[in-house]
Amino acid sequence: MRISEQAKQETRVRILEKAAELFIDKGFEDSTTRDIALAAGLAAGTMFNYFPSKETMAMTMVNEAFRQGMEDFQRRRTGEEDLTEELFLFIASGLRRLQPLRPFLGPVLERSLSPFPRKTVCQEGEAARAGHLDAVQEIIVRHGFTEAPDYVAMNMYWSLYLGILAYWTNDPSPNQEETRALIDYSLRFFVQVISGVWSDKGETHAG
Amino acid sequence: MQAEEGKTTESLQMEMLLDVLPKESATDPTGQRLAKLITRISNKRVPVSSFSRIWTLGSLNARVTAGYFAYWLRSRFSDADKKQRLKSEAHLAAALKLFGTMGYLRGAVMKIGQMLANLPEVVPEEFAEVLSALHFEAPPMHYAMVREVFLDEFGREPEEVFASFDRQAFAAASLGQVHRARLKSGEEVAVKIQYPGIARTIKADLRNLRLLLQPLCLTTDWQNTLDKLADIEQMLLMETDYEQEASFGKEARLLFTAADRVVVPQVFDDYCTKRVLTTEYLAGCHLDEYLAGNPTQEDRDHFTNLLTVGTFRIYYRLHWFLADPHPGNFIFMTDGRLGMIDFGCTRAMTDEEWLLICELERATLELDEARFNRATAKACLFDGPEEMEPERLEIVRRGVYWNMEPWLKDGRLFDFGDREFFMRGVDSLMEMTRKRYTRGSPLYLWSNRFVFGGRAICYRMKGRCEFRKIHQQESAWLRHEPVRS
């Protein structure tokens, strides 16, 4: 029996929905692919045709959230923002879409976005990283820089962003407001670096 | 002269420092330990421990200001011919660093600095300008940040919540900023928005401050200092709860009728949360702008009257101190009314505290010295006046008498613009501080700021009011139970 494209799509969505429910309920580590298949009403083998692992499932959700976040960001931009503000809007829009997944994201992001060399590279993680950095570069270039910042600066940015994500997944404050402050500080710091402007806030040794 | 040349710069600096530092007679009589602490700090880089440190004393303005504040503080402790020497930077740097470690607490320090700026005779004119520009600066929020706060608090963007909303803030608040907006029902409002996560910064910085002071802790009054710090922390944290502030504001508003010409702005509950406070916008200006318009004596007296009525009514009926009476909290309205805003820093007295204050007031008015001394001793947390050092008792009494002076003076009008009166108050406070006779219930931190802050404003206004008449009128409500609506 041939499965239509539409049916395949629906199955994909169902699998992800059930997976998300389970991840939130039992945590990422403790959910098994068997559980997910069962919940989605599929045989395990069938399910693997759609998603080779639960990591892939989780990162697909993450990428979907980031995609929606990007759309939100484009829609919300007014064009009047300065660089720091625009970057903030971008990151905040992404996190807001990521919010429903927060309860289980820690271990997922750790595996998929780890900056340390791994035996198997997570494709979806790579896609997320590349997509994010491309967007950031585009934003920066829009703000009057002659060229995109080099790999050192982008590396710094990515470290800051990973730090933000890590903090956010564990942030106990209401609405993760402390992460918001962290984003603010991190971005102001980053923008200072690439602007080459050190304000008098620099801590030079007196005398 | 020769002996001085022989000394190294460092030992000269130490000497100067030792000279001007307050001495703790019990454990650090020569001030050596404190001096060492400050020198140690000035020779090291202080690690960034809390978020707000990135704003390292905020702008250059703030750093310069803190430096001047430090200079001023020290100059109060030294005699005239050393002032010039004190201008040398070595100790300014040390003091800067010391204040720099305080992160948010510099907000409290800043508020003191601000208060000092409102005591124009106390600080040389050229510093007052700079100091008054200094208020605690929570980092400014760009509109994108404001939007995020709104999405969290209301689930909608600002432009969806209000009919119109200014993207640019029109005023800074100690923990955030204020935007103008218009409700869908048409009212003009002021929307105060708090910078995310600031409560944690407060806790972290006060903890740092306690640690910093630890080496000096082995004094009889250390527990008292700790209690005061705890009280300050409480108050600062209270300021982070805008719902609390809204509730204070609503209660205070009920006290005044249109005839009083004092107005506390209406709170719009539907647009208030813990982090966002929406109140009626009052059109008018603050003290500086008001004075720049060269108001007549009659006009100044009018506002002094209103200020006295406003603060007293709240004091007598609700038993509250408005613990932060700085010029930014009063609006001189175009229609001649006085607006009272910002109830973030309100200290409500317990019944016990209220009773003691009433006792003190009565003893003063009845010129009953023995009773007065007993009440004063109690306020300083002694069992009786005989337990106090005679000098301490004398100095504290002088301070309390100054507070009560407008009650005692004959005549219809009391002139708060009288320089001699004002300077006596300042000297008295400084003496208490210098001699370290500051032990007392933490309540007096706030009552001092209340009395001082209020009078400083009236001093700058050169205003007079019918003090006794107002007092009689407002204290007719004197009873042990505060009036609650």
Side-chain angles (χ1 to χ4, degrees):
Chain A
M1 184 175 68
R2 284 243 298 274
I3 318 280
S4 69
E5 269 312 307
Q6 191 193 355
K8 277 188 189 164
Q9 243 325 93
E10 283 168 5
T11 307
R12 269 180 72 90
V13 169
R14 193 170 73 248
I15 294 171
L16 289 178
E17 262 173 23
K18 295 300 171 193
E21 276 170 29
L22 267 164
F23 290 157
I24 291 171
D25 201 28
K26 290 174 85 172
F28 181 75
E29 310 280 358
D30 291 343
S31 305
T32 66
T33 45
R34 261 196 80 207
D35 294 334
I36 299 169
L38 208 64
L42 294 173
T46 317
M47 198 178 71
F48 287 129
N49 288 336
Y50 291 87
F51 299 102
S53 65
K54 59 178 181 173
E55 282 80 6
T56 317
M57 284 180 211
M59 279 313 290
T60 306
M61 293 175 206
V62 168
N63 278 327
E64 176 59 17
F66 278 146
R67 190 193 60 77
Q68 287 172 338
M70 174 70 91
E71 273 176 19
D72 291 342
F73 165 66
Q74 310 284 27
R75 193 178 23 92
R76 292 172 77 198
R77 266 188 75 226
T78 63
E80 285 166 22
E81 296 92 0
D82 69 17
L83 177 56
T84 313
E85 192 178 351
E86 194 169 336
L87 286 171
F88 181 92
L89 191 66
F90 173 60
I91 293 180
S93 301
L95 284 183
R96 197 164 283 279
R97 284 292 186 171
L98 217 52
Q99 232 281 339
L101 313 177
R102 198 176 77 102
F104 63 84
L105 273 187
V108 173
L109 297 178
E110 193 186 11
R111 288 191 207 196
S112 318
L113 293 181
S114 170
F116 294 100
R118 322 199 101 219
K119 261 189 287 188
T120 48
V121 170
C122 172
Q123 298 292 1
E124 285 76 15
E126 268 308 296
R129 190 177 87 96
H132 187 102
L133 291 180
D134 280 345
V136 167
Q137 294 223 323
E138 202 185 298
I139 293 171
I140 290 173
V141 164
R142 251 210 299 274
H143 284 265
F145 287 81
T146 52
E147 55 194 49
D150 67 7
Y151 83 96
V152 170
M154 290 317 292
N155 222 297
M156 272 186 67
Y157 170 83
W158 188 243
S159 308
L160 286 172
Y161 183 68
L162 284 182
I164 288 167
L165 278 181
Y167 191 87
W168 175 79
T169 52
N170 278 322
D171 186 349
S173 64
N175 296 313
Q176 295 84 57
E177 57 182 10
E178 283 174 22
T179 302
R180 206 149 295 134
L182 177 61
I183 298 171
D184 190 25
Y185 285 103
S186 304
L187 288 176
R188 287 175 193 270
F189 172 63
F190 174 68
V191 169
Q192 264 184 3
V193 168
I194 64 171
S195 306
V197 172
W198 286 102
S199 74
D200 50 60
K201 299 180 193 123
E203 255 271 86
T204 50
H205 217 5
Chain B
M1 223 6 168
Q2 259 228 320
E4 281 219 333
E5 278 167 24
K7 292 181 186 169
T8 63
T9 322
E10 203 180 293
S11 61
L12 264 179
Q13 286 177 3
M14 179 61 90
E15 223 180 76
M16 279 162 56
L17 189 57
L18 280 174
D19 228 358
V20 302
L21 287 171
K23 322 267 189 294
E24 170 53 55
S25 55
T27 56
D28 193 20
T30 57
Q32 288 264 6
R33 287 178 67 192
L34 184 55
K36 279 203 178 114
L37 176 70
I38 291 184
T39 313
R40 182 161 55 89
I41 291 171
S42 74
N43 288 335
K44 282 186 189 284
R45 308 189 71 116
V46 182
V48 175
S49 56
S50 57
F51 284 150
S52 59
R53 270 300 254 113
I54 280 187
W55 308 97
T56 319
L57 294 177
S59 58
L60 177 64
N61 197 24
R63 287 179 72 185
V64 167
T65 305
Y68 280 134
F69 171 52
Y71 157 71
W72 172 86
L73 195 62
R74 279 196 309 282
S75 71
R76 298 297 303 183
F77 292 110
S78 73
D79 46 54
D81 42 333
K82 281 191 182 140
K83 271 188 186 168
Q84 280 310 306
R85 281 204 294 158
L86 278 178
K87 273 177 180 163
S88 106
E89 274 74 62
H91 301 298
L92 274 171
L96 261 181
K97 289 279 169 93
L98 189 62
F99 289 134
T101 64
M102 293 180 187
Y104 177 79
L105 184 65
R106 72 187 148 80
V109 168
M110 296 320 192
K111 287 200 171 180
I112 294 171
Q114 196 178 21
M115 198 179 97
L116 292 172
N118 299 327
L119 309 179
E121 302 287 332
V122 170
V123 177
E125 280 308 319
E126 61 269 21
F127 297 165
E129 266 291 313
V130 178
L131 273 180
S132 65
L134 182 72
H135 48 257
F136 173 69
E137 291 154 12
M141 287 182 276
H142 43 53
Y143 187 56
M145 173 80 94
V146 170
R147 292 168 81 172
E148 290 303 304
V149 174
F150 264 76
L151 284 175
D152 286 337
E153 300 292 309
F154 300 106
R156 292 174 290 164
E157 303 258 11
E159 275 124 6
E160 293 170 290
V161 175
F162 298 106
S164 71
F165 185 88
D166 280 0
R167 284 171 187 226
Q168 278 290 104
F170 79 95
S174 60
L175 304 181
Q177 60 203 42
V178 195
H179 291 246
R180 286 193 63 178
R182 194 161 38 85
L183 298 186
K184 290 180 178 162
S185 39
E187 293 92 329
E188 295 286 334
V189 293
V191 185
K192 186 160 81 164
I193 303 155
Q194 193 175 125
Y195 188 88
I198 218 155
R200 179 173 157 167
T201 311
I202 294 173
K203 292 200 190 135
D205 288 328
L206 279 167
R207 194 185 58 233
N208 289 342
L209 181 64
R210 267 191 288 271
L211 289 174
L212 198 71
L213 295 177
Q214 202 67 34
L216 310 170
C217 80
L218 302 168
T219 76
T220 48
D221 287 344
W222 176 242
Q223 186 53 52
N224 195 234
T225 306
L226 278 181
D227 290 342
K228 284 188 174 144
L229 281 178
D231 207 81
I232 290 174
E233 185 169 347
Q234 189 95 329
M235 290 293 281
L236 291 176
L237 288 175
M238 186 168 79
E239 269 195 84
T240 66
D241 183 356
Y242 285 177
E243 273 172 352
Q244 173 70 275
E245 184 176 339
S247 142
F248 280 137
K250 282 190 281 193
E251 242 186 291
R253 180 173 164 84
L254 293 172
L255 298 177
F256 302 100
T257 65
D260 290 318
R261 309 293 285 155
V262 173
V263 55
V264 174
Q266 185 186 353
V267 170
F268 293 97
D269 275 323
D270 290 340
Y271 306 93
C272 288
T273 67
K274 272 193 150 53
R275 305 281 182 255
V276 176
L277 178 66
T278 302
T279 56
E280 180 190 352
Y281 174 76
L282 300 179
C285 62
H286 295 300
L287 184 63
D288 283 331
E289 209 182 310
Y290 170 70
L291 292 177
N294 277 323
T296 61
Q297 185 64 51
E298 198 184 323
D299 207 55
R300 295 159 187 261
D301 291 350
H302 162 76
F303 277 112
T304 306
N305 246 7
L306 293 184
L307 199 143
T308 310
V309 168
T311 49
F312 265 21
R313 185 158 308 176
I314 291 172
Y315 176 75
Y316 279 109
R317 292 207 209 174
L318 299 174
H319 304 178
W320 292 355
F321 284 123
L322 296 178
D324 196 16
H326 71 83
N329 293 346
F330 295 99
I331 301 187
F332 296 80
M333 296 174 67
T334 38
D335 59 8
R337 290 186 296 166
L338 179 73
M340 293 178 66
I341 63 172
D342 204 327
F343 289 82
C345 207
T346 303
R347 178 56 152 87
M349 279 180 265
T350 62
D351 291 342
E352 204 185 315
E353 288 166 339
W354 175 250
L355 284 177
L356 181 55
I357 287 211
C358 288
E359 174 65 11
L360 202 52
E361 212 178 278
R362 230 167 324 187
T364 315
L365 292 175
E366 290 169 15
L367 306 172
D368 184 341
E369 189 165 323
R371 203 171 161 196
F372 179 85
N373 286 347
R374 276 199 305 275
T376 301
K378 216 166 159 209
C380 294
L381 306 175
F382 287 95
D383 285 326
E386 59 288 348
E387 289 195 12
M388 294 173 74
E389 305 94 314
E391 196 192 15
R392 182 194 286 260
L393 181 59
E394 183 48 42
I395 287 176
V396 174
R397 274 171 46 130
R398 212 176 297 156
V400 179
Y401 269 128
W402 184 80
N403 281 359
M404 301 297 305
E405 204 168 308
W407 273 262
L408 297 168
K409 195 155 179 193
D410 285 325
R412 189 178 66 90
L413 287 177
F414 188 86
D415 184 6
F416 284 104
D418 179 64
R419 186 178 185 280
E420 194 272 326
F421 167 72
F422 188 70
M423 287 313 296
R424 244 183 313 114
V426 171
D427 287 337
S428 159
L429 188 63
M430 290 318 304
E431 208 183 351
M432 259 194 286
T433 313
R434 189 168 52 231
K435 297 262 166 86
R436 305 297 233 56
Y437 291 143
T438 50
R439 163 171 152 171
S441 155
L443 177 72
Y444 298 101
L445 272 175
W446 311 111
S447 64
N448 275 332
R449 284 176 74 175
F450 172 64
V451 172
F452 235 88
R455 290 185 185 178
I457 294 171
C458 297
Y459 175 67
R460 282 185 66 193
M461 269 204 284
K462 301 271 175 267
R464 311 170 302 179
C465 72
E466 296 180 294
F467 189 90
R468 279 175 139 192
K469 179 169 166 219
I470 295 173
H471 174 254
Q472 260 162 14
Q473 188 180 294
E474 300 304 326
S475 66
W477 286 84
L478 199 71
R479 33 166 124 159
H480 299 318
E481 279 303 310
V483 180
R484 290 269 184 262
S485 54

